[in-house]
Amino acid sequence: MAEYEINAAHLYGDLMNTYGDFGNIVALRYYAQQIGIDVKQHIVSLGDDFDAKSYDFVLFGGGQDYEQMIVADDLPKKATALQAYIEDYGPFLGVCGGFQLIGQYFILADGTKVNGIGALSHYTLNQPDGRFIGNVTIKDEVNGLEYHGFENHQGRTFLGDDERPLGKVIKGKGNNGEDGGEGLVYKNAYGTYFHGPILTRNGNLALHMLQLILERKYPQVDWQQKIATITPEFF
Amino acid sequence: MSLKSGLATFVGKSTHTLLHNILHRGGTSLPGKLATKIDPNVMQSYAEKYDVILITGTNGKTLTTTLTTRVLREKYADVITNPSGSNMMQGITGTMLTAKLKDKSQRPIALLEVDEANVEEVARQLKPKAFVLTNIFRDQLDRYGEIYTTYEKILKGIRLFPEATVIANADSPIFMRGELPNPKVYFGFNHLPATGSMRAPHNTDGVLSPTDNSILRYHFMTFGNQGYYFSTTDDFKRPALDYAVTSLNKLTPVSSNFDIDGITYQIEIGGMYNIYNALAAYAVGRFMGVSAEQIQHAFSSNAQIFGRQEAVKVKDKEVTIVLIKNPVGANQVIDMMKTDDQPFSMLALLNANYADGIDTSWIWDADFESLHDTGIQAVATGGERYKDLYVRLKMAGFGDHPVYQDLQQIVPAIESMPTKRVYILATYTAMLQLRAELKQQGYIKTGMGD
Ligand SMILES: [Zn+2]
């Protein structure tokens, strides 16, 4: 057994993993292993408790509309614990449906309003004609890095005042096709419409996430130095 | 036949004659296109003459149709079928218009592979006697496609004909959704004891119970979301099977030996998914009165089955080319490779053109990690999106490996693999490029679909 380990909760991983979201855990595990750290995946699904203390990273992926409705019904039972986890700087990655559901609400193609857990302040409207589909490139204005991905979403998400976008859209549509932002950052919580999956394609972001996770769990270790030895993949 | 459909038929048939006999081109879609232009309902007058059986589902349609055609021809003189790929209304119209019947005394059968989204339209015109449902998996090619939406499209066609028999893969829980008054025939697997209680792996679609949307459990799973499922919240479970695979005897990458209802059958093609296809063909055969002996004979006849895989000799390498397009399909190919008792190498080719699916995310749902405990000796990646696959295999633990962006390098790439056996997994347009290159270099003779 490795000296250090990361316990990753894959929220509704058996229902919400439509576009390779699991790849995000594959990427984290790949990098973590290089510095001797195990990443364990735990599926937290319908009817299961979310015990915030048990997890060091939470992945919430996208699903089909049908599954997303079922998940939305179950989420209130986990809402308080998830919100507390995020407020306590818990590292979180929400992709597509998971990004929408962690916010206030979203509106389906047919106009149905579905409540999210309301942990974060963004909300999602629908798009009467069409979807945003295609390759997307954004620039993270904090570190100047470019991120690559593929977006495919009908929802248009608008961030709250306490959230900032993950990056500025260079190519593609981003959150809503209007304000030039893609994704969100709030404390250590990240949201994005990137399939593709974001951490596999953008090694620097994966390493940043790894650092957030490890510094929060094992603050006594100099993680920056260890992580600097890893070569990130980017494509 | 009305004057209009008479004219439509005439135009359709003469277009076919022109294409086929004079221009020496095969082609079922142009005659159908012209005939449909003249009379959109041209097929209805044909429908009465045939026993029509429609085969649909996201995977396995083509091979199920091929095998079923063989099975039915054991008993029936005239079984017409559409070439793979011509599975929308026009192609089907072309097939029916240009069919030549041998035995006018027997009622002919039209066994047709139908695209899921076209079931309603085709059914409306052809009044099927039976619908055969193979499975519904998420398909990257259908970018809006949700499995429930796809199934809803199929149901619309079935609902038009409540007296038609539904011959369905009962191992696929989605087919238990929606009440249908139709007579039903169920096929599936009963090769293991119904004792376990497992959850599907995390990247499985369609594991919700149709009764209350709780997550299903399984006594055993075959692949994807298929198997002997049951609910823990109510008494919903897989229905009793009319026809079942009762034993898996010997599986190799190029052959499958198994029992259905206690009798042994063999098909010269590997892969669990092909056993499902054979089982579907068996179920249709029995439904149409074909005997077990006749089906055995049909399966064992030597003609090569063109499925998703193709064997090619390249210098001293035994190459197997397999099409991949979604995680379920890729996992099946991975499982098939695992049945190889010889060391092998894998060359995986990824493109992301429209016909491949422009979103490559699905490669992360394919379980390449599970290849570590097999005879795999080396991997290489290629195609226009070689970088995606390169990182995928690297993160799956295969380390740094050769990449071939340009498929003109494919022959040297194959030659440089360390084993005699080489599996090439390719997405649709990568497959076309690969075949074009192999054809140009004289390793294969025909183009795809010739
Ligand atoms: Zn999405």
Side-chain angles (χ1 to χ4, degrees):
Chain A
M1 209 185 98
E3 191 182 353
Y4 304 106
E5 67 173 30
I6 292 171
N7 286 289
H10 191 175
L11 281 185
Y12 307 97
D14 45 2
L15 298 174
M16 304 278 280
N17 182 45
T18 304
Y19 293 97
D21 298 318
F22 177 63
N24 290 303
I25 291 180
V26 174
L28 271 185
R29 183 177 282 152
Y30 170 76
Y31 292 123
Q33 270 169 356
Q34 295 180 38
I35 51 173
I37 296 162
D38 281 343
V39 174
K40 295 203 166 107
Q41 180 214 13
H42 308 268
I43 290 183
V44 180
S45 191
L46 300 181
D48 299 337
D49 278 334
F50 174 76
D51 175 16
K53 290 187 300 297
S54 309
Y55 306 111
D56 316 308
F57 172 65
V58 175
L59 172 67
F60 193 0
Q64 308 184 81
D65 279 354
Y66 189 87
E67 270 85 1
Q68 209 149 305
M69 297 285 288
I70 309 290
V71 165
D73 278 348
D74 184 76
L75 264 177
K77 293 170 215 156
K78 302 178 174 69
T80 314
L82 267 170
Q83 181 156 23
Y85 173 83
I86 288 173
E87 286 301 329
D88 191 30
Y89 292 87
F92 173 95
L93 175 62
V95 183
C96 209
F99 169 28
Q100 296 170 348
L101 281 166
I102 203 76
Q104 299 294 314
Y105 61 86
F106 66 92
I107 297 185
L108 292 176
D110 67 3
T112 314
K113 182 175 172 180
V114 181
N115 283 322
I117 67 168
L120 296 176
S121 55
H122 59 279
Y123 59 93
T124 302
L125 304 180
N126 64 357
Q127 203 179 151
D129 21 62
R131 294 174 77 88
F132 296 143
I133 304 176
N135 292 310
V136 52
T137 301
I138 63 171
K139 186 171 181 181
D140 184 333
E141 295 192 305
V142 174
N143 57 22
L145 292 171
E146 272 191 15
Y147 303 137
H148 291 171
F150 184 91
E151 61 183 336
N152 179 354
H153 54 114
Q154 187 267 334
R156 293 175 296 137
T157 297
F158 297 87
L159 302 186
D161 292 339
D162 55 348
E163 299 171 303
R164 69 170 171 87
L166 171 60
K168 191 173 153 230
V169 176
I170 294 174
K171 182 175 169 248
K173 299 290 183 187
N175 287 344
N176 50 46
E178 292 171 28
D179 62 20
E182 203 304 315
L184 88 87
V185 181
Y186 172 83
K187 296 189 174 178
N188 288 343
Y190 288 70
T192 182
Y193 275 114
F194 278 29
H195 300 164
I198 191 163
L199 299 186
T200 65
R201 295 193 62 176
N202 304 284
N204 280 309
L205 189 62
L207 294 184
H208 177 66
M209 186 64 87
L210 188 60
Q211 191 171 334
L212 292 177
I213 295 167
L214 292 168
E215 284 175 348
R216 180 168 175 267
K217 184 166 190 188
Y218 304 109
Q220 69 283 10
V221 183
D222 180 0
W223 292 109
Q224 192 164 6
Q225 198 191 352
K226 286 185 194 275
I227 288 170
T229 63
I230 304 173
T231 310
E233 300 287 345
F234 178 58
F235 59 95
Chain B
M1 192 179 283
S2 70
L3 188 63
K4 206 170 161 194
S5 60
L7 177 66
T9 304
F10 172 75
V11 171
K13 284 195 168 164
S14 36
T15 310
H16 176 74
T17 309
L18 176 74
L19 286 173
H20 194 80
N21 298 347
I22 303 170
L23 302 174
H24 298 285
R25 288 223 302 261
T28 51
S29 100
L30 184 60
K33 202 172 190 167
L34 293 175
T36 319
K37 263 235 158 75
I38 294 167
D39 180 1
N41 298 319
V42 60
M43 289 327 292
Q44 284 178 4
S45 52
Y46 271 76
E48 274 107 65
K49 296 186 201 154
Y50 286 86
D51 276 343
V52 175
I53 300 174
L54 304 185
I55 298 183
T56 195
T58 54
N59 296 44
K61 293 187 283 289
T62 302
L63 201 94
T64 300
T65 306
T66 306
L67 280 170
T68 310
T69 304
R70 245 189 234 185
V71 164
L72 294 179
R73 281 182 179 156
E74 293 283 322
K75 179 172 172 181
Y76 298 91
D78 284 305
V79 182
I80 68 160
T81 186
N82 51 335
S84 144
S86 301
N87 60 11
M88 303 197 205
M89 198 60 225
Q90 278 174 5
I92 289 168
T93 304
T95 297
M96 308 257 323
L97 285 176
T98 55
K100 289 199 180 62
L101 301 181
K102 297 183 207 104
D103 181 356
K104 298 266 151 69
S105 67
Q106 215 183 23
R107 198 169 157 79
I109 295 173
L111 180 73
L112 302 166
E113 168 190 336
V114 187
D115 175 78
E116 309 84 84
N118 285 257
V119 172
E120 186 185 3
E121 188 191 357
V122 172
R124 192 186 298 282
Q125 303 239 6
L126 299 186
K127 303 183 179 60
K129 178 188 174 77
F131 293 87
V132 182
L133 310 181
T134 60
N135 53 53
I136 301 181
F137 298 126
R138 181 161 54 88
D139 189 343
Q140 295 305 123
L141 295 176
D142 185 359
R143 271 166 291 276
Y144 304 102
E146 299 211 354
I147 58 172
Y148 303 106
T149 321
T150 302
Y151 181 51
E152 212 34 66
K153 285 179 184 153
I154 294 174
L155 279 182
K156 275 189 184 155
I158 299 177
R159 289 210 173 98
L160 296 172
F161 299 97
E163 69 292 344
T165 301
V166 174
I167 304 174
N169 176 1
D171 286 359
S172 182
I174 194 163
F175 293 138
M176 302 305 133
R177 281 178 183 258
E179 290 282 307
L180 284 174
N182 305 56
K184 293 175 195 79
V185 171
Y186 288 129
F187 59 87
F189 274 56
N190 261 336
H191 64 306
L192 292 171
T195 47
S197 173
M198 61 175 93
R199 270 168 95 143
H202 65 85
N203 57 357
T204 313
D205 285 314
V207 294
L208 291 171
S209 171
T211 57
D212 61 357
N213 287 318
S214 60
I215 294 178
L216 291 168
R217 284 179 172 267
Y218 290 79
H219 290 311
F220 56 79
M221 302 195 75
T222 53
F223 73 89
N225 64 346
Q226 302 176 112
Y228 194 153
Y229 47 81
F230 63 95
S231 169
T232 52
T233 56
D234 58 27
D235 56 8
F236 173 78
K237 61 175 191 213
R238 187 184 72 175
L241 302 178
D242 298 291
Y243 303 112
V245 167
T246 46
S247 167
L248 294 175
N249 305 323
K250 185 166 169 55
L251 309 180
T252 79
V254 293
S255 67
S256 308
N257 188 293
F258 52 90
D259 291 359
I260 301 176
D261 300 335
I263 297 174
T264 301
Y265 298 84
Q266 175 142 334
I267 52 172
E268 300 313 313
I269 190 165
M272 191 80 144
Y273 51 97
N274 287 319
I275 302 179
Y276 267 104
N277 298 334
L279 178 61
Y282 173 91
V284 179
R286 296 312 300 268
F287 171 72
M288 293 298 288
V290 185
S291 72
E293 292 70 31
Q294 286 172 316
I295 295 172
Q296 248 174 345
H297 182 256
F299 284 177
S300 68
S301 62
N302 274 323
Q304 201 196 346
I305 305 167
F306 258 91
R308 278 188 284 166
Q309 68 203 63
E310 179 178 12
V312 182
K313 188 105 176 125
V314 178
K315 305 212 169 151
D316 66 334
K317 304 292 189 192
E318 294 166 3
V319 179
T320 304
I321 303 172
V322 206
L323 182 67
I324 50 169
K325 58 172 185 173
N326 59 28
V328 176
N331 284 339
Q332 275 309 292
V333 176
I334 289 167
D335 283 346
M336 180 194 73
M337 289 191 281
K338 287 183 199 165
T339 63
D340 202 327
D341 57 6
Q342 301 292 314
F344 63 89
S345 310
M346 176 179 75
L347 176 51
L349 309 175
L350 180 71
N351 281 1
N353 298 308
Y354 191 80
D356 304 287
I358 54 176
D359 184 356
T360 61
S361 319
W362 66 271
I363 62 172
W364 296 92
D365 285 330
D367 191 9
F368 291 107
E369 282 82 356
S370 72
L371 281 168
H372 282 300
D373 315 322
T374 68
I376 196 162
Q377 303 297 311
V379 301
T381 45
E384 293 158 11
R385 294 292 291 264
Y386 68 97
K387 280 185 191 165
D388 298 54
L389 265 181
Y390 172 75
V391 174
R392 174 72 190 96
L393 293 188
K394 204 171 170 187
M395 289 190 175
F398 290 97
D400 192 22
H401 57 264
V403 294
Y404 303 95
Q405 184 177 9
D406 179 0
L407 294 190
Q408 288 183 337
Q409 304 165 288
I410 205 70
V411 171
I414 293 167
E415 277 186 275
S416 71
M417 297 306 248
T419 56
K420 194 170 163 67
R421 294 218 179 151
V422 177
Y423 288 92
I424 304 182
L425 281 53
T427 59
Y428 188 73
T429 67
M431 167 84 87
L432 295 183
Q433 293 162 3
L434 165 72
R435 291 188 97 265
E437 186 61 25
L438 291 178
K439 189 178 176 181
Q440 209 210 333
Q441 301 209 26
Y443 293 106
I444 47 178
K445 291 196 177 61
T446 58
M448 205 141 88
D450 284 7

